[in-house]
Amino acid sequence: MSELINFRDFGGLETTDGKKIKKGIFFRSGSYRDLLEEDREYIKSLKIKNLHDYREPNELDKDEKQIEMTENFHPISASAHLGIFEQNTEETVVVIDDKSMIDFYKKLPFDNPAYKNLFETLMEEDAVPLLHNCTAGKDRTGIATALIQLSLGARMDSVLLDYMKSMDAYEYILENERRRLNGHSECSLMNKLSGLIIKPAYLNAAFDEIINKYGSFDEYFEKEFSLGSKEREILKLRYTE
């Protein structure tokens, strides 16, 4: 049984100009913890040019050998600048609820070094196939995926439906988190269940915050990533068909 958690191609979405995001060039996943050799060989077969890992060092259990699966490895946390995933002691009780998840999603799209690096990479020639991940492959990776899709002209409702596909991997995400806690009580896991579930309200909170701050996604992409109309057109020509 594969240990490649929440892995999928996130291309194929239709865009507002009647095209589709290319398939076979954009991939997402959860962590590379305990991968089987067949999983590693499969990733290598995709000829990944750039692998972006959004986790923080304290989320890694061991050498997961990402550098062997890509030409260019980008280990840039998407959350370290927020100070949210700091190492907790065994005495610390961490409770993740809907409010904390929504607050997290509201902060992620802004001044994010990992996402800035992601779009800088996409502006380079020969940047794909590209693979990105976090621990479960649903939150930090989920927003990054949505931003790529929106930058290429995908409709917001299609992006949201694609985001929700992570619920198909819920049992594997839950088991991965249980292993990651590595001996901590089942109560610790129960306190984090809201953080393992995928809800439309989470991604919508990020979208709403972008509109509240910038007024439009066009303005957001230009101000956050220096992607004006010219740059966006380059991306669309390169990554849609």
Side-chain angles (χ1 to χ4, degrees), residues 42-57:
Y42 174 67
I43 294 175
K44 290 176 184 178
S45 75
L46 298 174
K47 312 266 185 220
I48 300 297
K49 297 284 186 179
N50 290 281
L51 191 159
H52 296 253
D53 192 328
Y54 303 133
R55 292 174 294 169
E56 298 184 30

Side-chain angles (χ1 to χ4, degrees), residues 13-234:
L13 272 65
E14 293 186 0
T15 62
T16 54
D17 56 2
K19 296 184 178 181
K20 286 186 177 182
I21 298 174
K22 292 179 179 178
K23 291 187 71 67
I25 62 170
F26 292 127
F27 301 95
R28 58 184 290 177
S29 77
S31 74
Y32 308 106
R33 186 189 329 280
D34 303 326
L35 286 192
L36 303 176
E37 189 57 32
E38 64 192 55
D39 297 323
R40 296 186 184 280
E41 290 304 315
Y42 174 67
I43 294 175
K44 290 176 184 178
S45 75
L46 298 174
K47 312 266 185 220
I48 300 297
K49 297 284 186 179
N50 290 281
L51 191 159
H52 296 253
D53 192 328
Y54 303 133
R55 292 174 294 169
E56 298 184 30
N58 61 20
E59 295 178 83
L60 302 172
D61 283 350
K62 59 186 179 182
D63 179 11
E64 297 177 11
K65 303 178 181 178
Q66 296 98 317
I67 198 168
E68 297 177 6
M69 300 185 286
T70 182
E71 290 187 18
N72 302 289
F73 180 40
H74 306 258
I76 304 176
S77 170
S79 50
H81 65 298
L82 302 178
I84 292 175
F85 282 77
E86 294 176 356
Q87 187 69 46
N88 299 299
T89 65
E90 290 188 14
E91 291 77 24
T92 303
V93 178
V94 178
V95 178
I96 300 176
D97 56 15
D98 282 6
K99 182 182 182 303
S100 61
M101 287 300 295
I102 285 173
D103 288 345
F104 183 46
Y105 269 73
K106 284 182 175 181
K107 294 173 181 176
L108 277 174
F110 306 104
D111 299 315
N112 195 313
Y115 296 168
K116 290 180 187 294
N117 173 257
L118 173 66
F119 280 105
E120 287 171 2
T121 300
L122 289 175
M123 285 300 298
E124 298 173 357
E125 293 185 9
D126 201 28
V128 295
L130 179 145
L131 169 63
H132 61 177
N133 75 280
C134 51
T135 291
K138 65 181 184 62
D139 300 315
R140 289 163 287 185
T141 303
I143 288 183
T145 296
L147 293 179
I148 292 173
Q149 292 167 332
L150 289 170
S151 74
L152 297 175
R155 296 191 310 272
M156 198 173 295
D157 57 344
S158 298
V159 172
L160 184 59
L161 286 172
D162 190 67
Y163 162 79
M164 290 301 297
K165 289 179 181 177
S166 287
M167 274 306 295
D168 295 340
Y170 176 74
E171 290 183 11
Y172 301 98
I173 291 170
L174 181 64
E175 180 56 32
N176 182 59
E177 184 66 14
R178 181 177 281 113
R179 290 202 302 255
R180 193 172 78 84
L181 287 172
N182 192 26
H184 286 256
S185 70
E186 193 72 13
C187 181
S188 297
L189 183 62
M190 293 299 293
N191 287 335
K192 296 182 177 183
L193 282 184
S194 286
L196 303 181
I197 296 170
I198 300 88
K199 295 185 178 182
Y202 298 163
L203 189 59
N204 279 331
F207 290 166
D208 290 344
E209 198 70 8
I210 288 171
I211 298 302
N212 288 339
K213 183 169 183 177
Y214 286 110
S216 70
F217 277 94
D218 288 343
E219 189 74 5
Y220 167 75
F221 283 118
E222 183 165 7
K223 290 298 195 310
E224 288 282 339
F225 306 112
S226 299
L227 296 176
S229 57
K230 179 182 177 181
E231 290 78 16
R232 295 275 298 283
E233 190 60 30
I234 290 172

